[in-house]
Amino acid sequence: MTDPQPKSTEKRASFEREAVPHMDALYRTALRMTKQENDAEDLVQETMVKAYRFWDKFEPGSNCRAWLFKIMTNIFINDYRSKSRTPASVDVDDIDENYLYGQLAAQSEDDNPEQRLFAKIFDEDVRKAIEELPDDFRLVVVLSFLEGFAYQEIAEILDLQLGTVKSRLHRGRKLLQKRLWDYAVRNGFAKEQSS
Amino acid sequence: MNCQEALNLLYEIIDKEASDIDAAQVREHLGNCRHCFEVYRLESAVNDLLTEKVKAAASPRSLDGVEAIRGKLLAQLDQIDTETRREPAPTNRKPFGNIAMTLGIAASLIVILGAAFVGRDLIRHREVFMPLEQAHWRVENNVEIPSDHSLTAERIRALADSIHLSLAQQVGEFTLVSGHVEELLGVRMGHFVYENEKQMISVFAAPAAQFNIPDDVRDNVVSSDGVQYFSHNCRGCRLLFVRDGEWVLVAATTDKNLDMTTFLRHHRVA
Ligand SMILES: [Zn+2]
């Protein structure tokens, strides 16, 4: 044998086959969680190393992607959350349930006022709006919008009740809509309607 | 279905999470209600656009970053593979400092978990075994610990046997009630819980060949029958470390008065 450190163990092979391909998705979400490229890289690295050490705990055939995201969100919540700056508390309940609908409906005779509005909002603005969400809402929004996890999967990843996932996602959406609308008004794409 | 009911289901419908029955009723309502129809149309358009924007905002640069860490990760996995295969390192260094910390935290964690459950239901704390970081996270976040009713005395014995550790079923008033073997940082170690009517002691066992009693847990030394016991406090728990043959044992309890030295002296079957 010429290679002094043969590495193609069965454990290693199955890990590379099943877990490693999810790194793109993990990194994408890690960026939205930590808001910093360096932190996101560290977070994914830690997640994967931990996953490898606990690989024998993973049940073959079960949802590997959700399992990896669970490890990652746990590390994030325990070790990274305090480091990341969270904006001063936001009064989420303050947002009118039909705020965006009311504003858009009042805009014009357009059939699709939202199309006009969103055409002018850049990806970068959306990124900022997401990053400004409080952590609890951001996690749920990112897992749902970016990763397409079902409510039940998000509940398991974050160890939350199903009802909590629904309400955080609901309020996260409302916050996001409000932020983007305020942005549009500030930049003159839309006019605030006094109600 | 009235407007309020239809609007309450808005996001579940949009996220395709609603039941078929709810979806059918909402569809019927939207056919008859211009207002709700408009809200749904607008919200799903906004949802589609948001989803698209969120994904677009996330994609650039991601791949470079992933390529960089993929290389680093594979190198680190090589190192883990090598560590796992290699004979234990010489014991005059502290190569497993992290395990020491993990052990201490793990032992105190299980005691904290146990103490939390003893007051409510003496049975419950036999069922708390799960990966440590998950248990820790659940306790910190007040999330219910799921039960595992499959733990039985025979299974505990089988676990102890699987790592060739012989344990006394009964130590004084204390009975072995729970056991668990897990691999932490590449080392297989056992974790067992003893209890009497009011108190519990958690015992971790790690192979002495791979684990030293680290300097920073040697707060106090007690000698008994020529054996040295090292005590340390961690997160409200008292920990006692001892080298016993090929094992390093760590006993942990939250009880201030419990004599763990006597306990550790008797808890192994020679
Ligand atoms: Zn209606």
Side-chain angles (χ1 to χ4, degrees):
Chain A
M1 179 142 354
T2 48
D3 184 357
Q5 293 174 1
K7 57 187 176 187
S8 53
T9 59
E10 205 175 305
K11 174 186 176 185
R12 176 67 177 268
S14 67
F15 186 79
E16 288 195 20
R17 191 175 57 243
E18 291 181 49
V20 172
H22 296 295
M23 277 176 79
D24 292 11
L26 289 169
Y27 183 71
R28 187 168 65 192
T29 290
L31 267 178
R32 295 292 147 263
M33 286 177 173
T34 63
K35 311 174 194 179
Q36 305 281 342
E37 283 181 21
N38 287 348
D39 282 351
E41 287 176 15
D42 289 349
L43 177 58
V44 172
Q45 177 87 2
E46 264 182 70
T47 302
M48 295 301 285
V49 167
K50 190 165 210 168
Y52 189 55
R53 295 204 190 270
F54 286 92
W55 188 235
D56 54 342
K57 296 260 186 340
F58 173 70
E59 287 173 36
S62 64
N63 189 340
C64 185
R65 196 165 76 101
W67 185 74
L68 292 170
F69 272 85
K70 188 179 177 72
I71 294 175
M72 184 164 84
T73 50
N74 277 357
I75 297 177
F76 171 73
I77 288 164
N78 289 326
D79 300 345
Y80 286 77
R81 181 151 48 179
S82 50
K83 282 197 282 178
S84 69
R85 273 164 296 146
T86 304
S89 71
V90 188
D91 193 354
V92 183
D93 295 320
D94 209 26
I95 299 170
D96 171 19
E97 183 61 23
N98 293 313
Y99 182 82
L100 185 67
Y101 175 76
Q103 294 289 350
L104 280 176
Q107 282 301 297
S108 67
E109 311 78 43
D110 280 7
D111 276 347
N112 298 87
E114 71 280 359
Q115 296 279 1
R116 227 161 39 89
L117 170 66
F118 274 83
K120 294 190 176 151
I121 289 180
F122 296 111
D123 300 345
E124 183 65 11
D125 306 322
V126 177
R127 186 184 62 75
K128 261 194 233 136
I130 291 175
E131 290 186 353
E132 284 168 11
L133 290 175
D135 279 343
D136 287 345
F137 299 99
R138 198 171 73 245
L139 288 180
V140 176
V141 164
V142 168
L143 291 174
S144 171
F145 275 74
L146 188 54
E147 300 301 336
F149 281 115
Y151 294 174
Q152 185 58 46
E153 288 176 309
I154 298 173
E156 280 161 22
I157 290 170
L158 295 174
D159 272 326
L160 295 172
Q161 302 284 337
L162 198 57
T164 311
V165 171
K166 284 187 203 174
S167 77
R168 285 192 189 171
L169 187 55
H170 182 113
R171 298 199 284 170
R173 269 182 160 121
K174 292 292 167 195
L175 270 175
L176 210 50
Q177 290 180 357
K178 173 92 165 69
R179 287 258 154 78
L180 291 172
W181 179 257
D182 291 348
Y183 174 84
V185 169
R186 252 197 334 272
N187 288 278
F189 310 149
K191 281 196 291 280
E192 183 95 54
Q193 301 295 314
S194 48
S195 44
Chain B
M1 183 169 276
N2 62 32
C3 292
Q4 194 54 53
E5 289 165 334
L7 293 177
N8 283 345
L9 287 166
L10 174 69
Y11 289 125
E12 285 178 47
I13 299 275
I14 286 178
D15 290 331
K16 302 188 173 56
E17 297 264 357
S19 70
D20 291 349
I21 298 168
D22 283 345
Q25 290 190 334
V26 167
R27 223 176 295 124
E28 194 191 331
H29 180 83
L30 297 188
N32 301 319
C33 177
R34 174 83 191 161
H35 170 73
C36 289
F37 178 83
E38 264 309 301
V39 173
Y40 264 78
R41 192 197 61 75
L42 176 84
E43 284 280 357
S44 37
V46 168
N47 186 70
D48 291 349
L49 286 162
L50 262 184
T51 308
E52 193 183 299
K53 292 273 179 198
V54 168
K55 288 197 170 142
S59 60
R61 303 204 58 173
S62 294
L63 290 179
D64 293 349
V66 171
E67 269 320 305
I69 45 180
R70 203 191 311 272
K72 268 203 302 193
L73 173 72
L74 293 178
Q76 206 170 341
L77 296 189
D78 285 347
Q79 204 184 328
I80 294 170
D81 288 342
T82 314
E83 268 171 30
T84 316
R85 223 175 292 118
R86 198 171 47 202
E87 283 303 300
T91 49
N92 57 350
R93 288 190 296 120
K94 246 174 56 178
F96 287 99
N98 282 334
I99 291 187
M101 203 193 302
T102 311
L103 261 183
I105 290 170
S108 24
L109 170 68
I110 202 68
V111 171
I112 292 165
L113 278 171
F117 284 101
V118 164
R120 249 183 26 219
D121 178 352
L122 203 63
I123 307 299
R124 286 299 305 279
H125 74 277
R126 301 177 182 185
E127 301 164 359
V128 296
F129 289 97
M130 60 174 59
L132 282 170
E133 86 277 21
Q134 193 185 345
H136 205 156
W137 148 248
R138 281 172 181 270
V139 170
E140 282 181 350
N141 291 280
N142 284 323
V143 177
E144 183 93 353
I145 305 280
S147 0
D148 173 4
H149 294 282
S150 59
L151 281 168
T152 61
E154 296 87 84
R155 190 173 147 212
I156 297 165
R157 299 309 299 249
L159 282 169
D161 288 348
S162 77
I163 54 170
H164 311 295
L165 176 68
S166 25
L167 293 171
Q169 188 73 45
Q170 191 74 31
V171 183
E173 290 176 343
F174 285 88
T175 311
L176 179 60
V177 293
S178 189
H180 182 64
V181 172
E182 69 182 318
E183 190 178 312
L184 289 171
L185 305 173
V187 178
R188 259 169 88 71
M189 51 185 73
H191 173 202
F192 300 90
V193 175
Y194 286 80
E195 67 177 29
N196 66 12
E197 275 177 29
K198 295 189 296 291
Q199 301 155 305
M200 65 176 286
I201 297 180
S202 163
V203 179
F204 265 80
Q210 293 173 310
F211 176 70
N212 284 328
I213 300 172
D215 292 339
D216 48 6
V217 299
R218 301 181 182 212
D219 298 352
N220 283 300
V221 188
V222 181
S223 284
S224 171
D225 288 348
V227 180
Q228 287 192 316
Y229 297 83
F230 301 95
S231 65
H232 177 65
N233 289 324
C234 173
R235 297 193 188 186
C237 290
R238 291 166 56 225
L239 305 177
L240 191 67
F241 292 75
V242 69
R243 164 99 192 234
D244 181 357
E246 69 269 40
W247 293 96
V248 167
L249 304 174
V250 188
T253 185
T254 48
D255 196 300
K256 287 189 179 58
N257 303 313
L258 206 61
D259 179 4
M260 288 200 293
T261 316
T262 307
F263 176 86
L264 275 184
R265 218 173 31 220
H266 293 112
H267 111 284
R268 271 195 71 199
V269 177

